[in-house]
Amino acid sequence: MQVVCVCGMGMGTSLIMKMTVDKALRDLGVEADIEHWDAGTVGGKSVDLIVTSEDFAERFADQKNVVYLKNVLNAQEAKEKLRAYLEENKG
């Protein structure tokens, strides 16, 4: 599974999110290729899952494969939301 963590510039917040998501997915036993990009880059790419902060909800409103985090440092929140997403999108 290809996961992309997205923030405005693709540097600070998305890198922190990448580490948080990596831990959460490892805890869930899910193997993934996780990258971090800026919001402009992700638009033209095909990925399995986008993880971003709630600040980008409007930007990605038309996409179904997005998990929004309130606190990008909270591995437990990421784990819960990723588990729910994965269970909802089995197949």
Side-chain angles (χ1 to χ4, degrees):
M1 171 167 55
Q2 183 173 10
V3 179
V4 175
C5 298
V6 177
C7 73
M9 298 300 285
M11 292 186 227
T13 303
S14 62
L15 180 57
I16 292 167
M17 245 185 303
K18 179 182 186 247
M19 293 185 287
T20 302
V21 168
D22 182 51
K23 179 181 179 353
L25 288 175
R26 276 188 283 124
D27 288 352
L28 293 170
V30 176
E31 288 189 33
D33 177 26
I34 307 169
E35 298 183 41
H36 63 101
W37 299 345
D38 65 277
T41 299
V42 77
K45 308 277 183 164
S46 176
V47 298
D48 297 315
L49 176 61
I50 298 167
V51 180
T52 191
S53 70
E54 290 180 347
D55 298 332
F56 287 92
E58 188 173 308
R59 178 175 179 92
F60 295 106
D62 61 334
Q63 301 215 13
K64 303 285 186 218
N65 63 331
V66 183
V67 169
Y68 299 100
L69 300 179
K70 184 173 187 167
N71 180 346
V72 300
L73 294 171
N74 187 329
Q76 186 60 36
E77 176 194 2
K79 186 175 173 179
E80 290 169 6
K81 289 184 175 179
L82 288 165
R83 178 186 291 124
Y85 174 85
L86 292 169
E87 287 176 1
E88 186 176 304
N89 294 284
K90 286 180 182 175

